[in-house]
Amino acid sequence: TALAVVLTMAATAQTTEIPDTSYQLPPLLITQSGKAIHTAAGWEKHRPEVLALFEKYVYGKTPAKKIPVRFVTLSVNTTALNGAATRKQVRAYFSKDEKYFMDMLLYLPNNTGKPAPLFLGLNFGGNQTINADTGILISKRWVRYEEGAAYKDHHATEASRGVQAGRWPVEEIINRGYGLATIYYGDLQPDSSNSINAGIAPLFYKDGQTKPAPGEWGAIGVWAWGLGRAMDYLETDPAVDAKRVAVIGHSRLGKTALWAGAQDKRFALVISNNSGEGGAAITRRKYGETITKINTAFPHWFCDNYKAYNDREDELPVDFHELVALIAPRPVYVASASQDLWSDPTGEYLSAWHAGEVYKLYNLTGLPGAVPPTVNTPVGSGSIGYHIREGGHDIQLYDWQQYLDFADRFFK
Ligand code: GTR
């Protein structure tokens, strides 16, 4: 029996057109063999089936092969941010020849007397973009950005220091008692089409393989893998409380945070900021960005099987409320922005709301109802949080303040 979910949405302030809200979602609480799920144990049994569908049809499967990773601390500064934090830079080598590596930048609060809970997220422009701190190594990698003083010929200049500091309120995070760890996503794979062999994926190829199979990972999978390796490091650092790590990401990196959190239960909390299509948003709404649009503009993000669902959203074996549900019973936060219609704020909300069905099995509370809240009014007093911020596609101090408050409820 398919569960028909037909929603009548109240008109929301941020929508400029009436969204199509009649669609049939794959039911959350029915197994592949058609049995209804009534308990948390039942969901746990079904969960691998859902994960496998996302692997096969959406993000592609992450290779099972484990490669040895060597962590080398490049620098430690105990008086960073005017003495409030310790800054560490740690390189993770993925190959003996040291050709493959990623650089992690960490800020950890000083003088708290205990291992710090921490936010971990990838960044778009190189670690040096997150703060003007001149001790941060400038990434030598290719970046998408080309114009302006900060980037020349797709490579960062000295002027790129701190250019994305507005997205990374490090001082606020440290003041609240949290650490922050970040990695440039281009260390794992450049964000451009036909880039798979310029990233770490070839380390996993079988003899003679030249690209991932249609059900194997794309860039989002590769980036998520990097977050997993960062977690491996965090588990070894005594200054970090690895049981209290929140994985966070904005936009394409919000999709990545959700996928990392779905695959790896070590992430105790997951935050999706404006992740949109292929992230939190319900794809069957066909509102804003669609599967065709995303696969055309970014053919390297998802696995090749996903392309079969161009203009066939209703046939996709999953929808993205199931991605959010894969985080259960761990807390999850989804956020939208009022002018970011491309990411379908209503679809992001609905996905988080639907996922509550699974949280309920654990006696946990999700979002209050099918109608999204008004701008700048965070909702969700239980394990699922949501807000829609006034403004455009971005991650800002307001968003972080909500994430810090949400994290406090579980980590403090
Ligand atoms: C857009 C893309 C979105 C979102 C965004 C971003 O161009 O269509 O899916 O990922 O980029 O990452 O900022």
Side-chain angles (χ1 to χ4, degrees):
T1 41
L3 171 72
V5 182
V6 181
L7 290 162
T8 314
M9 297 302 307
T12 51
Q14 73 276 9
T15 47
T16 51
E17 48 186 283
I18 307 279
D20 177 4
T21 52
S22 64
Y23 48 80
Q24 200 169 335
L25 291 180
L28 270 173
L29 299 184
I30 297 190
T31 68
Q32 244 142 268
S33 58
K35 284 206 201 84
I37 297 165
H38 301 290
T39 62
W43 166 258
E44 302 259 337
K45 242 177 107 189
H46 173 53
R47 191 182 178 280
E49 294 186 330
V50 180
L51 192 65
L53 294 174
F54 277 99
E55 290 175 338
K56 184 163 178 194
Y57 297 109
V58 183
Y59 303 107
K61 197 169 162 49
T62 304
K65 181 176 155 185
K66 300 272 177 275
I67 58 167
V69 180
R70 193 163 61 90
F71 299 106
V72 176
T73 302
L74 302 178
S75 76
V76 179
N77 181 313
T78 56
T79 56
L81 308 177
N82 296 319
T86 293
R87 181 209 332 112
K88 288 189 200 178
Q89 296 179 93
V90 178
R91 180 164 291 178
Y93 285 110
F94 303 134
S95 65
K96 277 221 182 85
D97 63 9
E98 303 193 345
K99 204 174 122 195
Y100 297 88
F101 63 86
M102 68 175 190
D103 283 348
M104 250 175 294
L105 167 67
L106 293 97
Y107 284 99
L108 299 166
N110 283 336
N111 309 320
T112 63
K114 51 181 194 243
L118 175 143
F119 291 86
L120 166 67
L122 299 170
N123 67 72
F124 282 93
N127 293 344
Q128 79 284 354
T129 62
I130 78 142
N131 193 277
D133 180 349
T134 53
I136 305 174
L137 296 168
I138 294 187
S139 172
K140 296 190 172 72
R141 307 265 192 192
W142 182 92
V143 286
R144 279 177 72 80
Y145 310 116
E146 38 190 324
E147 76 284 17
Y151 302 96
K152 288 262 178 291
D153 302 325
H154 291 281
H155 286 80
T157 70
E158 205 40 58
S160 67
R161 290 195 179 282
V163 289
Q164 300 206 343
R167 288 184 166 184
W168 298 92
V170 186
E171 288 82 359
E172 176 101 357
I173 295 166
I174 292 292
N175 281 341
R176 298 276 302 252
Y178 289 86
L180 174 70
T182 188
I183 301 145
Y184 172 49
Y185 75 147
D187 280 10
L188 295 147
Q189 183 177 326
D191 189 4
S192 70
S193 52
N194 301 317
S195 60
I196 189 89
N197 290 335
I200 53 101
L203 288 170
F204 298 87
Y205 289 165
K206 298 183 193 81
D207 283 347
Q209 191 174 0
T210 56
K211 59 175 192 176
E216 290 178 337
W217 61 0
I220 291 175
V222 169
W223 297 329
W225 178 88
L227 290 168
R229 302 301 63 75
M231 190 66 194
D232 295 344
Y233 167 77
L234 296 172
E235 289 186 317
T236 70
D237 190 327
V240 174
D241 183 347
K243 294 264 180 289
R244 293 184 293 160
V245 171
V247 64
I248 181 167
H250 167 60
S251 202
R252 66 199 69 184
L253 298 178
K255 311 181 209 297
T256 305
L258 285 167
W259 183 228
Q263 294 177 93
D264 192 335
K265 292 182 181 172
R266 292 176 300 171
F267 294 116
L269 194 156
V270 180
I271 300 163
S272 150
N273 189 88
N274 305 184
S275 65
E277 180 70 19
I282 298 282
T283 193
R284 277 165 173 73
R285 280 171 43 81
K286 300 166 195 150
Y287 183 88
E289 193 169 27
T290 61
I291 296 182
T292 301
K293 287 175 184 164
I294 208 165
N295 279 333
T296 305
F298 305 102
H300 56 295
W301 283 359
F302 300 88
C303 70
D304 280 348
N305 284 340
Y306 197 45
K307 299 190 171 68
Y309 295 92
N310 286 352
D311 297 317
R312 291 175 56 219
E313 279 83 359
D314 294 298
E315 291 161 64
L316 185 69
V318 287
D319 210 315
F320 290 82
H321 61 311
E322 295 173 275
L323 179 64
V324 180
L326 284 171
I327 312 298
R330 293 164 291 154
V332 64
Y333 200 109
V334 173
S336 310
S338 63
Q339 290 161 20
D340 184 19
L341 302 184
W342 185 244
S343 299
D344 187 12
T346 302
E348 292 178 317
Y349 177 80
L350 289 173
S351 188
W353 173 63
H354 285 301
E357 285 183 55
V358 171
Y359 283 79
K360 220 166 142 188
L361 299 176
Y362 293 89
N363 291 319
L364 296 169
T365 312
L367 293 170
V371 180
T374 51
V375 291
N376 295 356
T377 316
V379 284
S381 53
S383 298
I384 306 180
Y386 177 87
H387 72 257
I388 175 164
R389 172 182 45 74
E390 174 105 69
H393 184 68
D394 197 5
I395 177 165
Q396 301 179 352
L397 181 61
Y398 176 87
D399 301 303
W400 276 97
Q401 285 167 338
Q402 311 322 311
Y403 304 147
L404 287 159
D405 289 349
F406 187 70
D408 278 353
R409 281 178 19 214
F410 303 95
F411 289 170
K412 288 281 162 79

